[in-house]
Amino acid sequence: MRPGPLNLITDVPGLSIGHADDVRLKSGVTVIVPDQPAVASVMVLGGAPGSRDTELLAPDQTVPAVDAIVLSGGSAFGLDAAGGVQARFAEIGRGFSIGKAVVPIVPGAILFDLLNGGDKTWGRYAPYRELGYQAATNLAPGAFPLGTIGAGAGASVSGPNGGALKGGLGSASAVLPNGITVGAIVAVNALGAATIGDGPHFWAAAFEEDDEFGGLGWPSPIPAAARAIRTKFGAVSSLANTTIGLVATDAALTKAEARRLAVMAHDGFARALWPSHTPYDGDTIFALSTARQPLGTAATDFLELGATAAAVMARAVARGVFSATPADGDPWPTWARAFGQG
C-alpha cells in the first residue's frame, strides 16, 4: 500500500470537501460530497453520540444513497449544519426524488466543543446552519489543509501531565495493490490520548507513512506510563468529547458492505486513541463508496479493504492532532508546542 498523491480523502475519485469555521466561535463544519449520490452506511461505537439521519443508512432501509455527509462541532446545536447543506443542495436541485419533491439526503454527526473558550453566546439561533451552508458552498476537489479547520477547529484530546492538547481535522489515503483507493477524514476530539504516556510519540506510529506525523516512531523502551489511562478529566469536562469521521473508497460496495467497512474502520480509532469508544465519547464513523471500480471477487479483497481503512483512519487521527495550529486565546497547546517539536 502507498498513500495517494495528496494523502487525503480526496484521493478517492469523485469526492469534494467543504469547510467553514469561525475563529471567534472556535468551531466549524466539514462536509464530504460525492459527485453523484453514493452508497453509505455508519457505525456508532461511542456511548454519547449525536447524529442525524443515521438510521436510514442501515442496510435494510429504503433510501439507497446519500448526497453528503456532515461532520460538525457544536454538540446537538451542530446538527443544524446538515440543514444548511440541505438548503444549498435544494437550491441546485440535488436530492432524492419523490414525485415532484426533491429531498437532499444529508446524514451527519457532531462533537462537543462548547467549552473550548470560544464565544458561544449566539442568541436565539446557533450559527451551524449557516456554517453548513457555507461549507457546502465552499466545496472543492483536491487538496485542503488539516488541523484547526472545519469540524476540527475547536477540538481537543488528552495531553501530557494531566492536561489537554488541541485536536483537529485529519485525513489520509492509501492505494491498494489492485488500484482501489481508500481515504479517511476525521475530527479528533477524544476523551483519551493520541500520544503515548507524557511523550510526543503517536499511538498510530506503526502505520505512519513518509513521516506524515513527525516520523518519531515508537518510544524505546515503551514507558510504563503508556499503560496508564489518560483522559481530559480535570482539564476539560468529561462530556466535551467525541471523534467523528468517514472512510471512503472508489470500490463499488453494497450498503451492507459499507456498514462492515465502517465497523472495521473503528479499529483505526482503537489503534490511534487510548482509550477510545468510551461512555463519554460519541465515536462515529461513516463509510461511503463512489463505486468507480469493482471490488473484486477474491475472499481476501474486502478483508484487505477493511484493514486498510482502519490503518488509514489511524493515520488520519494522528495527522489531525499533529497538524493543529495555535490561535489567540486557545486554552490548550498544540502538539508541537507541548512537546517542543518546532
Side-chain angles (χ1 to χ4, degrees):
M1 294 180 295
R2 66 185 189 278
L6 301 175
N7 196 18
L8 298 170
I9 194 171
T10 42
D11 283 321
V12 176
L15 287 185
S16 295
I17 306 293
H19 309 282
D21 48 68
D22 184 319
V23 173
R24 184 179 60 85
L25 181 70
K26 292 188 179 176
S27 189
V29 173
T30 294
V31 59
I32 303 96
V33 179
D35 289 351
Q36 301 294 326
V39 166
S41 194
V42 67
M43 176 53 65
V44 180
L45 291 184
S51 59
R52 168 175 162 154
D53 278 351
T54 50
E55 285 300 312
L56 64 80
L57 299 178
D60 62 333
Q61 300 302 311
T62 301
V63 173
V66 304
D67 294 293
I69 300 291
V70 177
L71 309 178
S72 179
S75 187
F77 297 104
L79 295 175
D80 289 349
V85 177
Q86 277 191 316
R88 173 58 182 158
F89 283 7
E91 288 180 343
I92 62 176
R94 175 167 176 172
F96 184 60
S97 296
I98 308 172
K100 294 182 179 180
V102 177
V103 181
I105 305 300
V106 185
I110 51 85
L111 57 81
F112 190 110
D113 58 4
L114 298 179
L115 303 178
N116 63 4
D119 183 0
K120 308 302 193 293
T121 56
W122 49 61
R124 178 173 293 183
Y125 299 110
Y128 291 96
R129 190 174 190 273
E130 184 59 30
L131 286 170
Y133 183 90
Q134 292 174 12
T137 303
N138 294 339
L139 285 176
F144 58 90
L146 303 181
T148 308
I149 185 174
S156 64
V157 296
S158 178
N161 304 312
L165 290 176
K166 289 192 72 172
L169 190 80
S171 188
S173 72
V175 181
L176 279 65
N178 60 7
I180 286 173
T181 301
V182 184
I185 190 168
V186 60
V188 189
N189 189 57
L191 176 66
T195 48
I196 300 173
D198 288 323
H201 304 82
F202 285 94
W203 282 112
F207 301 101
E208 186 173 15
E209 298 281 354
D210 302 327
D211 298 340
E212 62 191 337
F213 40 88
L216 299 181
W218 293 102
S220 181
I222 300 290
R227 294 187 290 273
I229 298 172
R230 294 188 299 123
T231 70
K232 294 187 299 193
F233 281 118
V236 188
S237 165
S238 63
L239 301 179
N241 311 303
T242 294
T243 299
I244 51 178
L246 178 144
V247 290
T249 180
D250 56 351
L253 302 179
T254 65
K255 282 178 78 174
E257 289 169 332
R259 170 87 162 188
R260 179 52 51 182
L261 188 66
V263 170
M264 295 184 73
H266 269 284
D267 288 351
F269 282 8
R271 288 285 191 172
L273 297 166
W274 169 246
S276 61
H277 306 123
T278 78
Y280 307 104
D281 287 285
D283 293 346
T284 299
I285 295 180
F286 297 91
L288 182 147
S289 164
T290 61
R292 296 298 182 93
Q293 58 178 315
L295 172 62
T297 58
T300 57
D301 286 336
F302 189 85
L303 186 154
E304 184 176 15
L305 179 68
T308 302
V312 171
M313 180 59 78
R315 292 166 47 212
V317 168
R319 295 189 82 199
V321 176
F322 177 77
S323 301
T325 53
D328 291 342
D330 276 330
W332 316 299
T334 63
W335 175 85
R337 181 178 296 175
F339 297 111
Q341 297 292 316

